[in-house]
Amino acid sequence: MLIELCVFSALAGLFLLKWHLEYHYDLFRRLGVGGPKPSLLTGNLRDLRAKGQFQCMQDWTKKYGKVFGFFEGYTPVLAVSEPSLLREVMLKDSQNFLARKHFPLAPKKSLGLFLENGAQWKRSRNLLTPAFSTGKLKMMTPIMSEAADILVERLTDRAKEEDSTDIYSVLQSMTLDVIGRCAFGLQTHAQVDKEDMFLVKIRNLFKAMTKTKIEPLLMVLPGLNGIVFGLKEIVSIFHASPVKWLRQAMYQVIQARRALGPNANVIDLVQLMLFPEKTRYKDHSHTACTGFDDNEQSAEENISKSSSTNAEHHTIGVKPLADIEIMAHSMTFLLAGYETSGAVLAYFFHELAKHPELQERLLEEINDSIGKRDIDYETIQELPLFDAVFDEVLRLYPTASFITTRKASEERQYGDVKIPAGMNVLANVWALHRDPEFWDDPETFNPDRWLVEQSFKRKSSFTYLPFGAGPRLCIGMRFATIEAKITMVKIVQSFQIQQAHDSKDELDLISRGAIVPDSDVKIKLKKRATGTRRRTVRHC
Ligand code: HEM
C-alpha cells in the first residue's frame, strides 16, 4: 500500500510539474508574441549555447521580427529591437523598468551599481554620478594620456621585435591601469608587469566566468541560486578565489583612504563614496558635457524624477555608503572599466588593420585639427572622423548588448505589446545595430556613414544603443569614450597598423557578460617616423 502511495504521489508530482512547465513555456504564445519553441527542460538554452547569443539574436530577429520571446533556461526574456518600444521601456516609461534582469549567481545584497535595483540603485546612482562630471573627467584625462604613452612605448618595442602582436592582452593591461588609477588611486603596473596581481586576478576571474558550468545550470533551475551562492561563500572561506583577493585588496584601499580622511587632496570614486558630503558639491560642472548631452541629461532628469522630492534627492544623494557597498561598487567599476574598454579598443585595432587608407585619413585629421597641441579633453572633441570610427566600432561590436536588460515592475500595454509584471526585457542591440531597415549595408565597417548622417539624430532615434539609454545608461560612457579616443589618437600618430600573417579576417567572439574576442587579436605594427611625446603626470 505504501509503495502504491509513493508511486501515485511521484506520478502526480510529475504530472503537475509537466503541467506547470507546459503552462510556463506557453507564456509568449498567450501574450501573442512569436519566438523559438522552448524545450520543457532547458527552454532555448541549448540553441543559445550551441549557436551563441549573437547568432541566435540575429536569426530569431529575422524569423520572428523585432519583438520576440525566448527562454534563457527557465527565465522568459522579451527581446526588443523595435526603436519605438525601446524608447518606451528605456526612457518614457523608465519608472516601470528601473530594475534589470536577474543575473545567475548574483549575490542578494551588496550588488554594485550594475546589479542594484529600485531605491538602492537610485541612491547609489545619485551618489556616483558626480564622479563622472566634466570637471572630474578633465582631471582624469592626463592619467589616460600617460597610460596611452606607456602603451605606445610598449608597442614600439614589440614593433621592433615581433611580426605579430596580440593587441588584446596589451590593451587589457592598459585599461586596468587607467580604471585603477582614475577610480581608486591604485598604482597598478599592469602594462609593464605581466605579474601585476590585479591583472593576474582579474584575468583568472574572467577565465573562470568563461568556463563556468554552474551558470547554465542556474538558468535552468533558478531556484538553486541561493543554495549555490551559499555554497560558493563557504568554499571561498577555504579557497583563495580571485574575487576574494580582489575584494580584500579593495577593502584595504578603502581602509587606507578612510584613514586619510575627508580632506585628503584626492578626488576619485573611492573618496566620493567614502565622503560624499565633502566631494559632491565642489564641482558643479557635471551637466555641462559635450557630445552626449541628450542622453546624459535624460539620464539625470530621469533619476531626479524617480526621487520624489528634491529634499529626498539631496538626502539620498549624500548618505554615505557602508564599506560593503563601496566594495561592491568598486568591483563593478574595476571590472566594467577593464573588460569593455579593452575589447572595444581591440576591435578598433582589428578594423584599422583591415583599412590602411582610413589610418591615413585619421592621421591627416590629427595633423589638421590638433597639429602640435597636446591631446587632452578639449582637443579630442575636435576630431569628427575619430568620433565616426569609434561610433562605427561600437555599432558593429556593441560589447555590452546582452547586459542591456530591464525588468517590468507593473503590467503595461505598449501598442500591440503587453508586457506583464516581472517580465525581463532585453534591448536586442546586437540585431538592432545590424538591421538593414536602419543601416545600409549593415555588415560593412563604414565610419563614413556617421559623417553623412547627422549622428546626434541617430543617437536619439533608439536605433543606436551601445551604451544603453535612459536612467540606467552606462555611467562610464564619457570616461570610456575619452579613454578610447586618446588611445586611438596616440596609436594612429605613432604606428601603421597592418594585418599580421596570423590575423583573422573575422574575429571569433564570446559573450561572458560583455562580448569580447574569444582569443588573441593579432596585428602587425610599423612605427611611424614621428611619435608622441611622453609626459609625466601627477596622479589625483
Ligand atoms: C566602451 C566601453 C563601454 C561600453 C560599450 C559600456 C556599455 C554599457 C551598457 C550597454 C550598459 C547598460 C546600459 C543600460 O542598461 O541602458 C552599461 C552599464 C554600466 N556601465 Fe558601461 N560600458 C563601457 C564602459 C564602462 C566603464 C569604463 C565603466 C566604469 C568606469 C562602466 C560602468 C558601467 C556601470 C556601473 C553600469 C551600470 C549603470 C546602471 O545600472 O546604473 N562602463 N555599460
Side-chain angles (χ1 to χ4, degrees):
M1 180 66 182
L2 186 66
I3 294 178
E4 279 147 5
L5 200 64
C6 287
V7 171
F8 176 77
S9 307
L11 285 175
L14 279 176
F15 175 79
L16 278 178
L17 180 67
K18 183 167 178 279
W19 177 83
H20 165 77
L21 290 174
E22 276 172 0
Y23 183 78
H24 175 74
Y25 286 119
D26 192 41
L27 173 67
F28 289 114
R29 199 198 53 76
R30 292 196 303 279
L31 289 172
V33 172
K37 194 170 160 33
S39 103
L40 278 198
L41 289 178
T42 55
N44 301 108
L45 201 58
R46 208 182 300 171
D47 268 351
L48 286 166
R49 292 186 72 80
K51 287 207 253 167
Q53 247 164 328
F54 343 98
Q55 203 52 51
C56 283
M57 287 308 133
Q58 252 182 301
D59 292 353
W60 291 340
T61 307
K62 266 188 208 144
K63 195 158 176 193
Y64 304 108
K66 292 184 177 39
V67 181
F68 65 87
F70 68 97
F71 285 85
E72 200 180 80
Y74 185 80
T75 307
V77 182
L78 188 74
V80 180
S81 56
E82 172 57 52
S84 58
L85 185 53
L86 285 172
R87 185 188 292 277
E88 291 287 345
V89 169
M90 299 174 92
L91 190 62
K92 281 193 180 162
D93 200 15
S94 58
Q95 298 312 302
N96 194 34
F97 295 95
L98 283 184
R100 284 189 195 283
K101 176 170 85 61
H102 177 77
F103 277 76
L105 274 179
K108 286 238 156 36
K109 282 192 258 161
S110 319
L111 300 162
L113 186 65
F114 183 76
L115 293 170
E116 282 178 354
N117 292 317
Q120 193 189 20
W121 167 80
K122 272 183 223 164
R123 167 175 169 251
S124 302
R125 180 95 192 199
N126 273 327
L127 198 137
L128 296 169
T129 295
F132 297 92
S133 68
T134 302
K136 301 265 163 52
L137 289 171
K138 278 186 183 171
M139 289 168 67
M140 293 173 192
T141 312
I143 300 177
M144 296 175 182
S145 186
E146 190 193 38
D149 286 341
I150 297 175
L151 177 75
V152 168
E153 271 176 26
R154 275 190 80 190
L155 292 179
T156 304
D157 295 340
R158 291 199 170 201
K160 278 184 218 147
E161 291 159 15
E162 295 173 6
D163 246 10
S164 165
T165 296
D166 169 29
I167 196 69
Y168 182 36
S169 57
V170 184
L171 290 165
Q172 284 179 316
S173 317
M174 189 201 78
T175 54
L176 177 61
D177 279 347
V178 170
I179 188 71
R181 286 167 196 210
C182 290
F184 313 105
L186 282 174
Q187 290 308 305
T188 56
H189 297 286
Q191 289 214 78
V192 286
D193 177 8
K194 266 199 256 167
E195 301 305 317
D196 181 279
M197 280 309 269
F198 271 92
L199 183 66
V200 171
K201 296 293 176 186
I202 287 191
R203 287 222 164 114
N204 289 346
L205 174 66
F206 279 109
K207 217 183 278 168
M209 273 170 74
T210 317
K211 287 191 186 146
T212 179
K213 298 273 182 294
I214 299 175
E215 200 185 60
L217 176 74
L218 290 179
M219 285 178 175
V220 176
L221 298 168
L224 293 184
N225 197 54
I227 300 169
V228 173
F229 193 75
L231 285 174
K232 273 191 80 182
E233 290 288 287
I234 294 170
V235 171
S236 77
I237 297 173
F238 307 102
H239 171 69
S241 73
V243 176
K244 192 172 158 191
W245 188 93
L246 286 164
R247 274 206 208 140
Q248 266 163 3
M250 296 316 301
Y251 185 72
Q252 281 164 11
V253 172
I254 293 163
Q255 294 313 314
R257 294 291 285 279
R258 195 186 284 292
L260 281 178
N263 297 322
N265 192 19
V266 193
I267 305 174
D268 62 14
L269 208 68
V270 180
Q271 196 73 3
L272 194 91
M273 290 193 277
L274 280 169
F275 308 108
E277 69 288 359
K278 290 279 175 191
T279 33
R280 184 176 166 94
Y281 298 110
K282 273 185 189 165
D283 172 8
H284 299 282
S285 56
H286 62 274
T287 48
C289 52
T290 39
F292 302 105
D293 288 4
D294 285 353
N295 264 336
E296 188 75 7
Q297 278 169 8
S298 59
E300 301 234 347
E301 269 166 28
N302 276 280
I303 298 164
S304 302
K305 263 196 252 158
S306 60
S307 312
S308 46
T309 63
N310 279 342
E312 185 192 326
H313 182 198
H314 184 88
T315 349
I316 287 172
V318 294
K319 189 175 163 223
L321 296 162
D323 281 3
I324 190 158
E325 291 176 284
I326 298 180
M327 255 157 58
H329 290 311
S330 303
M331 286 287 282
T332 304
F333 283 108
L334 197 64
L335 301 181
Y338 162 85
E339 180 79 333
T340 47
S341 301
V344 167
L345 281 166
Y347 299 138
F348 164 77
F349 272 88
H350 170 73
E351 286 299 338
L352 244 57
K354 295 199 287 184
H355 296 92
E357 74 300 336
L358 182 60
Q359 296 179 40
E360 298 318 306
R361 284 174 62 201
L362 287 168
L363 188 64
E364 211 175 293
E365 179 170 88
I366 303 172
N367 293 336
D368 291 351
S369 304
I370 304 185
K372 294 217 176 318
R373 284 181 296 157
D374 267 334
I375 314 298
D376 57 22
Y377 184 86
E378 269 76 31
T379 44
I380 55 158
Q381 317 291 339
E382 300 166 21
L383 303 169
L385 186 58
F386 272 91
D387 288 338
V389 171
F390 183 64
D391 289 345
E392 185 67 351
V393 167
L394 279 171
R395 183 188 68 81
L396 266 185
Y397 306 96
T399 175
S401 338
F402 298 131
I403 59 169
T404 311
T405 62
R406 301 289 186 271
K407 192 178 185 113
S409 38
E410 286 172 16
E411 179 175 304
R412 297 277 160 85
Q413 184 81 35
Y414 304 96
D416 312 339
V417 184
K418 188 205 282 185
I419 304 190
M423 173 59 81
N424 301 293
V425 179
L426 168 75
N428 185 2
V429 178
W430 190 265
L432 181 70
H433 284 192
R434 289 172 152 75
D435 190 328
E437 188 182 331
F438 308 123
W439 308 95
D440 291 335
D441 202 3
E443 297 294 335
T444 304
F445 178 79
N446 173 18
D448 285 306
R449 71 173 82 236
W450 293 95
L451 298 174
V452 289
E453 288 185 23
Q454 289 173 300
S455 47
F456 71 90
K457 267 197 190 159
R458 165 69 77 182
K459 284 177 182 167
S460 57
S461 69
F462 279 75
T463 52
Y464 181 69
L465 297 169
F467 289 102
R472 297 212 72 157
L473 173 86
C474 173
I475 198 170
M477 175 176 76
R478 293 200 301 142
F479 178 99
T481 306
I482 297 167
E483 178 186 12
K485 276 174 67 182
I486 289 180
T487 312
M488 284 157 60
V489 167
K490 296 213 174 204
I491 290 296
V492 169
Q493 278 180 324
S494 308
F495 301 100
Q496 279 174 311
I497 305 160
Q498 298 171 348
Q499 286 193 298
H501 61 93
D502 50 356
S503 292
K504 286 184 179 158
D505 227 33
E506 296 295 326
L507 293 175
D508 294 325
L509 306 177
I510 47 159
S511 173
R512 54 179 191 202
I515 299 163
V516 295
D518 190 15
S519 53
D520 299 350
V521 177
K522 294 293 183 93
I523 50 145
K524 185 176 170 185
L525 292 160
K526 200 167 160 217
K527 189 87 171 92
R528 289 189 191 275
T530 52
T532 51
R533 285 162 291 149
R534 169 95 183 266
R535 291 181 308 156
T536 313
V537 294
R538 199 173 59 81
H539 293 286
C540 60

